[in-house]
Amino acid sequence: MENLLTQINNLKDEINNFSSNDENIAEVFRIKFIGSNGSVKSLMAEMKNVAPENKREMGKELNDLKLLAENKWEELKKTTDNRHPTSGSTIDLSLPGNSLPIGSRHPISIVRNKIVSIFQRLGFAVAEGPEIEDDWHNFTALNLPENHPARDMQDTFYVSQDPAWMLRTHTSSVQVREMEKGKLPIRIICPGRVYRNETISARAHCFFHQVEGLYIADDVSFADLKQTLYFFVKEMFGDDFKVRFRPSYFPFTEPSAEMDISCLICGGKGCNVCKHTGWVEILGCGMVHPNVLENCGIDSKKYSGFAFGMGIERITMLKYQIKDLRIFSENDVRFLKQFESAV
Ligand SMILES: [Zn+2]
């Protein structure tokens, strides 16, 4: 009994002098002294070994010890609460945080990025140039000398103070600037915004976006052009359609062609989108005209190349089955939020 009494007194001293640097001091105390494996509990278990005549006295001592421990615990809980005024309140730290709303990428940007990444995998680098151009880069160097009837194909916005300057009507002007640098071979794509003085309708706008491509080296053939574009449409639209080339005319390429794919909407049977032909035109292309090469200081006897150009709006309309291109520039959130994405 003496032994148990000594233990009780020692424990009382320990409880009275208890201190800890732990932030959660009350919990540390509880575990050490009054938890199911704590010191107070284990001393109380000794009661069964106490002689019957001493049980009463020892019971009182143990009860005092238990009360002392519980009071101390209550005291320490207040200390902990003061350190963390909000602890024990309704804040649940395991709940997920408030998410920030994700913006949406414009469908034109999504498609432009996709086109660029497909050609980058083929080794094409991105080239950019000014949107305000001079006559040489926008027309003359591209085999459209003054009074050339083909200039009428592209209604142009001229700068009113100085009509020698204009908003570029195509990104071919960037190709001219790259060719003039004189570094061969050239393998570039030029994405960018272009402007034409057109009446705004469901199928035309006064500004739109193009991606043009140019490959010039010493042995480039029309077969290279076809293979490159086959790869592009397959990556862009998948395997489930047919492709055809139609002869066409552009002043800067010879021979020239337009590339059609079988209508993605009706599967080639005929619908409004394909004007009941079963085919939709997606781009123009051809071998770079020798005059263009010479204009840009490239020896047309030694070098050849192909070029192609497509409207990003047109590809986007086909891909997402959009019928009116005016919606691209109306900033209607109901339309744009359908393209919500983190990438
Ligand atoms: Zn169709």
Side-chain angles (χ1 to χ4, degrees):
M1 178 178 160
E2 278 305 311
N3 186 29
L4 186 57
L5 200 57
T6 312
Q7 286 185 57
I8 290 170
N9 287 331
N10 287 346
L11 201 52
K12 279 182 179 169
D13 287 345
E14 208 183 322
I15 289 169
N16 282 326
N17 297 324
F18 177 82
S19 72
S20 163
N21 289 326
D22 197 300
E23 285 210 338
N24 209 353
I25 187 168
E27 184 61 8
V28 173
F29 180 89
R30 188 190 67 78
I31 292 166
K32 187 169 167 56
F33 296 102
I34 52 182
S36 51
N37 295 318
S39 318
V40 176
K41 276 272 165 70
S42 63
L43 275 193
M44 291 186 105
E46 295 291 319
M47 267 299 276
K48 63 181 184 294
N49 302 324
V50 174
E53 66 272 23
N54 295 327
K55 269 197 192 309
R56 187 185 161 88
E57 189 192 346
M58 204 47 68
K60 189 179 170 302
E61 288 291 336
L62 280 167
N63 222 30
D64 284 352
L65 175 69
K66 189 170 166 243
L67 277 175
L68 177 73
E70 282 172 356
N71 288 340
K72 177 83 178 180
W73 183 45
E74 290 297 331
E75 211 177 284
L76 291 173
K77 274 205 285 191
K78 280 182 202 148
T79 317
T80 309
D81 286 353
N82 287 340
R83 285 189 194 176
H84 300 284
T86 52
S87 72
S89 70
T90 52
I91 292 180
D92 181 350
L93 297 176
S94 65
L95 287 173
N98 295 330
S99 58
L100 292 168
I102 294 178
S104 63
R105 215 171 272 282
H106 197 283
I108 296 290
S109 299
I110 294 172
V111 171
R112 184 196 56 208
N113 293 349
K114 170 115 181 157
I115 296 170
V116 167
S117 83
I118 292 170
F119 284 106
Q120 277 179 330
R121 273 186 277 148
L122 290 173
F124 283 76
V126 172
E128 286 177 333
E131 293 185 12
I132 300 172
E133 268 297 1
D134 53 35
D135 185 273
W136 170 259
H137 291 99
N138 196 72
F139 288 131
T140 310
L142 288 161
N143 205 28
L144 286 93
E146 224 173 313
N147 304 322
H148 192 292
R151 287 199 183 205
D152 296 339
M153 289 162 66
Q154 302 186 349
D155 297 313
T156 311
F157 287 114
Y158 288 95
V159 175
S160 56
Q161 289 93 335
D162 184 358
W165 293 89
M166 66 202 71
L167 295 178
R168 68 182 178 192
T169 57
H170 45 201
T171 51
S172 310
S173 52
V174 183
Q175 302 184 5
V176 174
R177 289 177 179 278
E178 286 296 314
M179 285 189 277
E180 283 176 340
K181 288 180 186 167
K183 279 191 209 146
L184 291 159
I186 296 171
R187 199 186 298 184
I188 51 161
I189 42 166
C190 320
R193 187 176 293 159
V194 301
Y195 305 84
R196 291 187 195 174
N197 189 6
E198 290 198 38
T199 309
I200 296 168
S201 70
R203 301 175 66 86
H205 212 295
C206 57
F207 73 88
F208 57 99
H209 300 78
Q210 279 191 331
V211 175
E212 295 200 0
L214 176 70
Y215 178 35
I216 297 177
D218 48 14
D219 57 353
V220 180
S221 71
F222 201 87
D224 296 322
L225 166 64
K226 286 179 82 172
Q227 209 51 48
T228 304
L229 295 179
Y230 279 143
F231 177 80
F232 163 69
V233 284
K234 225 174 163 162
E235 291 294 305
M236 193 72 206
F237 297 107
D239 292 322
D240 208 15
F241 60 88
K242 286 183 264 178
V243 179
R244 75 176 182 188
F245 284 85
R246 268 182 304 112
S248 185
Y249 168 75
F250 304 109
F252 24 81
T253 47
E254 180 60 37
S256 305
E258 282 180 73
M259 188 184 192
D260 298 340
I261 59 172
S262 54
C263 179
L264 299 166
I265 311 233
C266 63
K269 290 190 194 78
C271 68
N272 283 337
V273 173
C274 59
K275 294 182 195 152
H276 303 281
T277 61
W279 295 93
V280 263
E281 178 203 325
I282 59 161
L283 57 84
C285 58
M287 301 306 290
V288 180
H289 198 291
N291 289 355
V292 175
L293 294 175
E294 296 292 338
N295 284 344
C296 299
I298 295 171
D299 184 351
S300 62
K301 305 265 187 318
K302 192 168 172 212
Y303 292 101
S304 57
F306 66 72
F308 57 86
M310 66 193 96
I312 301 178
E313 274 81 353
R314 184 169 190 80
I315 306 276
T316 310
M317 289 169 85
L318 283 173
K319 195 165 172 62
Y320 295 115
Q321 305 189 4
I322 295 164
K323 298 215 167 69
D324 188 333
L325 66 70
R326 286 172 290 195
I327 199 166
F328 290 134
S329 49
E330 281 172 353
N331 286 333
D332 187 332
V333 176
R334 291 167 302 175
F335 169 68
L336 296 173
K337 75 196 292 192
Q338 296 175 61
F339 300 92
E340 229 165 61
S341 137
V343 286

